[in-house]
Amino acid sequence: MSNLHTCMLDLGDNIVTAQHFDDGTTRRSFATSTLPEVGAQPIKSLEDIPMNSNSESCQSFQREVSSFRSSVEAATNLFSQKLSTEMRAYLQTPLMSSNVDGVVYDSINEVVAGGEHLEHFHSYQKDNSLGNAGETTIELHTDQGFFIAFTPGLIASSNDPTKQMKLSDGFYVQDRYGTKASVNFSEEDDLVFMIGDGANQYINNNLIDSKGAMPLRAIPHALSFPAQIDSSDVRVWYGRMVLPPNNALSHGMGLTHGEVREALMDASTTGKSISLGCSSQDMKAVIHTTRHLSGPSVILNCTADELFCWYRCQPLDDELNTCSDRNLTLECVDSQGQITDPAQHNGAAPACYNSTAPLSSDNGDTWQGDSHADDTHADDGHGHDHGDDGHHDEHMSTKSTSTGSRLFAWSLVVTFTISAILSVIS
């Protein structure tokens, strides 16, 4: 990965996609994919660059990138096979049906093998003169795919690709109680698997209740890229997001997952705001292509039994419909019990709000409302099809944890050690 950033700079912003965040971070990206039955696709930005290019960094990157991607694919297949074996007894079949006669997906392994895998190489560079110290680069969000396999971020030198890389900090996850925790990766954590909202759409909804299996939990996560002492230092990262099969039917929508994705891509080119289902047909996520929004360009026409909150229409249960009867107000409230902008992607939920009598949650945090949060619904991901807003979440308490049993208890975050995977691209 040490040659990634310098290769991108050599190619220039006319070829390499660049995104600028509010905290002064610029993210440059290479995008590609691995297709079912077809295999790894070329990196578009590098397709027309000959191996005898004058860029030594691009030559080094191209020489090693195929073996790197093959190693990640092998680990991804092994992960899906093991997960499929572990959960087979707890799942009803088929997990997914399709619009093709006779084609169904009975196992997790079949779902993973039948879906497109989006791949991104990212380089983050900080302009210390822009943004505020400690500001979040990418706010809390949950990926829309089934899971993502990614390498922990590494700090590389844009001046000297031969300089020893080191692990980057600033990666956060949110636990089920709303606490934001820093994840401390180690040198042995070569590849990390993290569950996305797809698990709610075609895995957890197929669990057999009588079996007592625990559902997979999608992980809200965020990134903060702090200013570097050496301004030439950059953060490099690779991720592989596993999408469901294109011909598989999206639960409760009457469309295939491929058709849903085409609708989102069409919206990205026309600048439209659209609403599409996430984990349930009652929860509508709004996908917008404009970054750093101060509010939604189109407020959804939520029904009388819904509230626009967390950038979507969220359903109201019987208790939330009686807020006024208890001299409370119905508000969009974040995980720390504060009224928040409903257009923010921050895990907020409808709540009966009482500004004069704060309540205490089970884990000791202060709450001011009876929140009915479900923080597993998908927002924008790591640049996969849609943008990440850069809003800073000021209300989260933070603490540090390592990738051990405690983090595993929150969700399925698994690390694989693959020989030299962090140094394959060097």
Side-chain angles (χ1 to χ4, degrees):
M1 298 289 277
S2 60
N3 288 288
L4 174 64
H5 181 76
T6 49
C7 176
M8 289 176 170
L9 292 183
D10 289 345
L11 296 179
D13 289 345
N14 289 332
I15 295 177
V16 179
T17 301
Q19 176 185 349
H20 305 285
F21 293 94
D22 290 342
D23 71 333
T25 298
T26 295
R27 181 176 71 189
R28 295 175 176 86
S29 303
F30 286 157
T32 184
S33 64
T34 295
L35 302 177
E37 300 182 3
V38 177
Q41 301 301 291
I43 297 174
K44 295 177 182 178
S45 300
L46 294 173
E47 239 179 326
D48 299 324
I49 306 299
M51 286 296 293
N52 61 356
S53 166
N54 291 330
S55 171
E56 294 182 3
S57 293
C58 288
Q59 290 180 34
S60 297
F61 184 85
Q62 286 180 292
R63 276 197 299 268
E64 305 295 346
V65 70
S66 293
S67 63
F68 173 84
R69 292 175 65 191
S70 295
S71 296
V72 174
E73 180 175 22
T76 301
N77 291 339
L78 178 60
F79 173 78
S80 69
Q81 291 166 12
K82 296 293 186 182
L83 184 61
S84 188
T85 299
E86 289 293 326
M87 298 196 67
R88 181 178 293 122
Y90 303 100
L91 294 169
Q92 58 186 357
T93 57
L95 295 179
M96 306 182 80
S97 56
S98 76
N99 63 351
V100 179
D101 288 343
V103 176
V104 295
Y105 299 92
D106 285 327
S107 68
I108 288 176
N109 195 41
E110 290 179 4
V111 169
V112 173
E116 180 177 356
H117 297 186
L118 298 181
E119 298 173 76
H120 283 81
F121 293 85
H122 290 323
S123 170
Y124 297 83
Q125 186 172 28
K126 188 83 165 189
D127 185 339
N128 297 342
S129 66
L130 301 176
N132 300 316
E135 190 173 2
T136 300
T137 307
I138 300 174
E139 66 172 23
L140 281 167
H141 63 282
T142 309
D143 295 330
Q144 286 184 301
F146 177 20
F147 63 82
I148 184 170
F150 67 93
T151 59
L154 294 168
I155 300 298
S157 173
S158 58
N159 292 335
D160 182 9
T162 65
K163 183 179 178 180
Q164 179 68 36
M165 292 184 293
K166 60 182 180 180
L167 287 167
S168 171
D169 56 10
F171 182 75
Y172 298 88
V173 296
Q174 185 185 51
D175 70 12
R176 65 182 69 255
Y177 302 108
T179 301
K180 185 177 173 183
S182 172
V183 181
N184 297 326
F185 295 109
S186 75
E187 296 292 344
E188 295 181 351
D189 297 328
D190 293 341
L191 196 65
V192 181
F193 290 86
M194 185 167 62
I195 295 298
D197 187 61
N200 295 313
Q201 300 178 45
Y202 35 87
I203 304 299
N204 293 340
N205 61 346
N206 283 303
L207 287 172
I208 301 172
D209 293 338
S210 61
K211 296 283 188 176
M214 294 185 65
L216 302 178
R217 180 173 179 265
I219 305 300
H221 53 284
L223 172 66
S224 178
F225 182 46
Q228 301 297 300
I229 297 176
D230 185 343
S231 60
S232 68
D233 284 348
V234 297
R235 181 183 189 271
V236 292
W237 177 94
Y238 165 86
R240 180 186 181 109
M241 180 181 286
V242 175
L243 300 180
N246 280 338
N247 61 12
L249 295 171
S250 181
H251 180 68
M253 293 188 64
L255 300 171
T256 66
H257 283 277
E259 290 168 338
V260 170
R261 188 174 174 213
E262 286 180 6
L264 294 175
M265 293 173 68
D266 178 65
S268 72
T269 58
T270 60
K272 296 178 181 178
S273 290
I274 60 175
S275 63
L276 289 171
C278 276
S279 302
S280 74
Q281 59 190 112
D282 295 325
M283 186 73 75
K284 297 187 283 288
V286 178
I287 307 299
H288 200 289
T289 59
T290 303
R291 307 182 193 281
H292 317 313
L293 297 175
S294 58
S297 61
V298 177
I299 297 291
L300 290 181
N301 293 320
C302 299
T303 68
D305 293 326
E306 297 175 324
L307 180 71
F308 186 76
C309 182
W310 193 13
Y311 214 53
R312 66 202 67 194
C313 291
Q314 297 203 36
L316 305 177
D317 60 18
D318 292 341
E319 184 178 353
L320 290 173
N321 280 317
T322 63
C323 294
S324 59
D325 297 339
R326 293 178 282 148
N327 295 319
L328 303 173
T329 59
L330 179 63
E331 305 287 355
C332 183
V333 175
D334 66 20
S335 62
Q336 297 301 300
Q338 303 297 317
I339 296 176
T340 186
D341 179 356
Q344 295 282 336
H345 297 268
N346 58 3
C352 292
Y353 187 84
N354 183 349
S355 61
T356 61
L359 300 176
S360 177
S361 68
D362 292 339
N363 68 332
D365 294 332
T366 299
W367 291 67
Q368 290 176 297
D370 302 324
S371 176
H372 288 245
D374 182 348
D375 59 9
T376 63
H377 297 279
D379 289 329
D380 300 335
H382 301 273
H384 302 276
D385 290 341
H386 313 296
D388 302 305
D389 296 331
H391 302 293
H392 180 41
D393 185 353
E394 298 174 342
H395 302 295
M396 286 293 179
S397 60
T398 61
K399 62 185 178 182
S400 179
T401 185
S402 62
T403 50
S405 59
R406 183 179 180 201
L407 185 58
F408 188 84
W410 291 342
S411 59
L412 195 60
V413 176
V414 184
T415 58
F416 271 62
T417 300
I418 303 174
S419 176
I421 198 170
L422 290 181
S423 59
V424 156
I425 301 180
S426 59

